[in-house]
Amino acid sequence: MTERGGRRMPTTRFVASPERDAGAGPGRSDAPPRGGAAVVAVRRLFGAETGNFYLLLGTTLFLVAFGLVMVLSASSVTSYTESQQFFGGFERQALFAALGIPLMLVASRAPSSFWKRWAPIAIMAAVTLQFLTVATPLGYDVNGNQNWIRLGESLSFQPSETVKLALVIWMALILSRKQGRIREWKELLLPLGPVTAVAIGLVLAGGDLGTVMILVAMVLGTLYFAGARLRHLGVAILAMVSVALLFAASTASRQSRIDAWQNGCVGVDDYDGLCWQTLHGWWALASGGFFGVGLGNSKSKWNWLPEADNDFIFAIIGEELGLLGAVTVLALFVVMMIAFVRIIRANTDPFARVAVSTVMVWIIGQAFVNIAVVLGVLPVLGVPLPFISAGGTALISGMIAIGIVLSFARRPVSTGARGRATRQ
């Protein structure tokens, strides 16, 4: 009891519960156990995230998990014929996913200043790697494209995927600095024009027309979302289309593929040649019906359909899971696009808005180009389906790009009783 104004006031006391006192005693601490601290740390790690963060993260992880299942199914036969192991392709893809998920989560914690600081270094490193691919013995050819680089006996990767990733943050940095002058063509030309021309030109020199199309779409999409004038975009589109047509007609093989696509692969003479992959992709989709023939029961993957686990994995999805599975994949990419748009609308920083827009054009555009190729709407280009097709470099670079977007999807939160807002 205490004295106050001549009256005796009760003193508030806190009495520990028996359970709390049970562990007290000499040599013991009242600190929470380590397991509880770990739980608190995990809660603090993800407790500040928005619904947009979880929508994009959940959709990405579901696509990656779904891709692992489909790679296991589509690659089992070819893996056995090549190495006498059914799980060879799946194990490689699972290893890349195990590397990509932590990298994505680490990238999601990086502040905007980190990406701005490293953007110039990233674009220089990516362009240098692509130059080594097409101009030195380190690069090697895969299916007619000089788009791979080998280091040692077992390490190989695709530098053009790093070019995509570097362009995301570098173009966002340049265009965010030019927000007040973005509608002047001179401001768009320097330094954006020369650097992107060199980067895309080096990929074009390697012969990968599909990746070049995605890079061009990224540049044009970034300019559009950054607020460039439509007439400037029209000039850029006209110039790029002219270069693409000249490049497509530069070799007989590319011209033959375009001719076969324009003819609709209806000629019997094309069955054993350029139309083999397209026709077998159509037959795989048609044989699936509405519910599919069942997971793992594809007949096309028995060496009938080339690149069944990579560029044409959507055909295997349609065969094994039917129209229902194919539409589900389309719906997942639509949900991902909605998440991108919501993150763009929630941000006021021009750097964040441009970067997220570029990633959206990359991922969503590449997904629909891949599906269009399988359906025969576009000629065969060799573009993988993001997060689903087999391929380590494409998977890891795509997941890091999602991590960049997730870093902009987070929001300020209050820290403790003081109520100060901080960037978690």
Side-chain angles (χ1 to χ4, degrees), residues 106 259 304:
V106 169
D259 292 340
W304 288 104

Side-chain angles (χ1 to χ4, degrees), residues 95-133:
L95 175 61
F96 294 133
L99 293 173
I101 292 175
L103 290 174
M104 177 180 66
L105 295 178
V106 169
S108 72
R109 306 295 297 180
S112 178
S113 59
F114 175 85
W115 304 118
K116 293 178 181 179
R117 183 169 62 251
W118 284 95
I121 300 175
I123 192 64
M124 288 189 294
V127 170
T128 301
L129 287 173
Q130 186 62 34
F131 174 79
L132 294 176
T133 304

Side-chain angles (χ1 to χ4, degrees), residues 31-386:
R34 292 184 179 179
V39 172
V40 172
V42 172
R43 287 178 178 175
R44 290 184 61 187
L45 180 64
F46 293 104
E49 318 307 350
T50 63
N52 295 335
F53 181 97
Y54 286 114
L55 178 63
L56 181 58
L57 178 63
T59 306
T60 303
L61 293 178
F62 187 89
L63 282 171
V64 172
F66 179 77
L68 289 175
V69 174
M70 294 311 305
V71 167
L72 172 61
S73 176
S75 67
S76 57
V77 175
T78 55
S79 295
Y80 183 79
T81 56
E82 292 174 358
S83 61
Q84 305 300 308
Q85 294 181 357
F86 286 106
F87 299 99
F90 168 76
E91 290 173 352
R92 287 193 299 271
Q93 190 73 359
L95 175 61
F96 294 133
L99 293 173
I101 292 175
L103 290 174
M104 177 180 66
L105 295 178
V106 169
S108 72
R109 306 295 297 180
S112 178
S113 59
F114 175 85
W115 304 118
K116 293 178 181 179
R117 183 169 62 251
W118 284 95
I121 300 175
I123 192 64
M124 288 189 294
V127 170
T128 301
L129 287 173
Q130 186 62 34
F131 174 79
L132 294 176
T133 304
V134 298
T136 69
L138 292 174
Y140 68 98
D141 184 284
V142 176
N143 295 330
N145 294 333
Q146 186 84 6
N147 204 26
W148 292 82
I149 195 169
R150 186 187 301 276
L151 300 175
E153 293 294 331
S154 58
L155 179 60
S156 63
F157 62 96
Q158 200 171 2
S160 60
E161 295 295 330
T162 65
V163 172
K164 295 178 185 176
L165 192 58
L167 281 177
V168 168
I169 54 177
W170 184 79
M171 289 193 298
L173 176 65
I174 298 300
L175 293 176
S176 63
R177 289 176 175 176
K178 295 176 178 287
Q179 279 297 297
R181 300 160 292 167
I182 195 68
R183 301 177 72 82
E184 301 176 14
W185 69 269
K186 292 182 179 179
E187 297 296 334
L188 292 179
L189 187 62
L190 296 173
L192 196 66
V195 175
T196 56
V198 170
I200 297 175
L202 288 173
V203 178
L204 193 62
D208 193 349
L209 187 58
T211 301
V212 168
M213 286 185 59
I214 302 303
L215 290 172
V216 169
M218 288 173 60
V219 173
L220 296 176
T222 302
L223 292 176
Y224 174 78
F225 285 106
R229 290 181 181 272
L230 292 180
R231 67 167 176 261
H232 295 160
L233 286 176
V235 173
I237 292 173
L238 182 62
M240 291 180 178
V241 168
S242 301
V243 173
L245 291 176
L246 291 174
F247 181 76
S250 61
T251 62
S253 61
R254 293 191 185 93
Q255 188 61 49
S256 299
R257 272 190 288 174
I258 294 175
D259 292 340
W261 165 67
Q262 290 178 335
N263 294 331
C265 285
V266 295
V268 179
D269 295 337
D270 293 331
Y271 172 74
D272 293 328
L274 297 171
C275 286
W276 177 278
Q277 192 172 22
T278 300
L279 289 175
H280 282 83
W282 290 348
W283 295 341
L285 288 170
S287 63
F290 188 81
F291 294 105
V293 298
L295 187 63
N297 294 328
S298 168
K299 296 179 181 178
S300 300
K301 68 183 180 182
W302 288 79
N303 294 323
W304 288 104
L305 179 62
E307 303 295 338
D309 63 336
N310 195 340
D311 300 340
F312 271 69
I313 197 169
F314 187 75
I316 303 299
I317 294 172
E319 182 181 9
E320 295 189 347
L321 303 180
L323 179 63
L324 184 62
V327 171
T328 300
V329 172
L330 288 171
L332 287 170
F333 281 109
V334 170
V335 171
M336 180 173 282
M337 182 173 64
I338 293 172
F340 283 134
V341 173
R342 292 178 62 175
I343 293 170
I344 293 171
R345 292 172 60 88
N347 275 277
T348 57
D349 181 15
F351 178 83
R353 293 170 67 93
V354 174
V356 176
S357 301
T358 310
V359 176
M360 179 178 68
V361 175
W362 167 11
I363 301 298
I364 304 302
Q366 183 168 316
F368 283 95
V369 167
N370 174 274
I371 295 171
V373 167
V374 175
L375 295 176
V377 178
L378 292 174
V380 178
L381 296 171
V383 175
L385 187 60

Side-chain angles (χ1 to χ4, degrees), residues 402-422:
I402 294 295
I404 294 174
V405 176
L406 291 174
S407 71
F408 300 126
R410 305 178 62 248
R411 62 176 172 81
V413 295
S414 176
T415 57
R418 296 182 181 181
R420 294 178 299 180
T422 60

